Amino acid sequence: MKSAEEIFDILKKKFGDAVLSLDKDTPVEQIISIDPLKINLISKYLRENPELQFDSLMCLSGVDDANGIKVKDAEGNEIIEGGTLSVYYNLHSVSLKHKITLKVSTPRNDPQIESLEKIWKSANWHEREAFDLIGIKFLNHPDLRRILMPYDWDEFTEEISRHPLRKDYKNPEFYQGMKVPY
Amino acid sequence: MGLLDKEFSDGNIVIAKVDDLFNWARLSSVWQLGFGLACCAIEMMATSMSHYDFDRFGVIPRNTPRQADAIIISGTVTLKMALRIKRLYEQMPDPKYIISMGSCANCGGPYWEHGYHVLKGIDRVIPVDVYVPGCPPRPEALLEGLLKLQEKIRNESLRKKSA
């Protein structure tokens, strides 16, 4: 069983700049921030290192940080420009009984994160969900389709109505001839 | 209704209006498409079990739209599901009836404002005969809805499509 500081030190020694920081000011598990394009290498190491053995990806959450600037677009909708989207990975080692949370942040205008599907299979649908609802592209994902919203959602909606859990999301008026708002 | 009002003395002949006979036959065997969506479906299943037993009124779940008379929209209808429900409804033979069960199917329910994925009332897609309010409605309420549907069928006529 290792503490978050020990795990952070192991990763920092191995991967250097790809491991950004350790956030200790959290109510539960401490959070290690990672470079979004190195997350697959670091995750593989976390899983396979005999000292760490993170064999379970418990949860994967996409988050809209909404830390950009609010501006009006051509149609008068308030949209967010700049800032980041984030993904949190909650890892657990069943054999060693320790936990850690990883965080990656990626620019809102071109959100790209390496997929972890090859490391933990549970990431497959979770990443599809983050892609569907937040709009994060997971590189090297084998099947990056929408999972909850209709597959043809894009054909009937504007750019601002693509990903419902973005903070500047606007509900479309119609989908397939059905009125959407109340 | 008076099916037995004018019984002949030998007991083998009954005189009735065709409307009355057909309506009586149809309302006594409303086969509903076995179809559940959300928590309302749990109440619908409870209504079909021995405690409430909608088979008493001739309502039987039928697992094909081709041989169903009614469909109970029991739960939250997402936009994705609405298209499938429309397809199922179109596959049912006439005459066909729809019971909208619970607040979600009636008007969107708790998802009315921020539910980006919820159709705000199934009547935006297919015509509803009976609305059953509740969140979810108790089995008694669904039975009341089924009886209301029977009442509607009882007053129909072959010449007019709907009562």
Side-chain angles (χ1 to χ4, degrees), chain A residues 119-156:
Chain A
I119 297 149
W120 295 287
K121 289 290 168 196
S122 60
N124 189 323
W125 282 18
H126 282 135
E127 287 178 352
R128 281 178 64 188
E129 188 187 2
F131 166 72
D132 189 355
L133 302 180
I134 303 280
I136 297 165
K137 286 169 198 73
F138 289 91
L139 306 173
N140 301 318
H141 190 287
D143 181 29
L144 198 61
R145 287 178 295 144
R146 286 182 181 272
I147 190 168
L148 296 167
M149 301 300 284
Y151 299 131
D152 56 357
W153 187 250
D154 286 357
E155 292 166 33
F156 294 91

Side-chain angles (χ1 to χ4, degrees), chain B residues 32-74:
Chain B
Q32 62 107 349
L33 180 59
F35 178 78
L37 285 174
C39 31
C40 282
I42 306 293
E43 297 296 308
M44 184 184 70
M45 286 181 257
T47 318
S48 74
M49 304 307 269
S50 48
H51 236 84
Y52 295 96
D53 190 18
F54 59 34
D55 201 359
R56 294 183 284 161
F57 306 107
V59 180
I60 306 173
R62 185 74 179 113
N63 292 316
T64 166
R66 308 280 183 199
Q67 294 171 359
D69 304 299
I71 178 168
I72 300 176
I73 309 297
S74 53

Side-chain angles (χ1 to χ4, degrees), chain A residues 148 164 171 179-182, chain B residues 80 82 107 112 116 120 124-125:
Chain A
L148 296 167
N171 232 1
K179 193 171 165 234
V180 179
Y182 184 72
Chain B
K80 206 174 176 179
C107 64
W112 71 276
Y116 53 85
K120 312 299 189 289
R124 290 186 179 186
V125 179

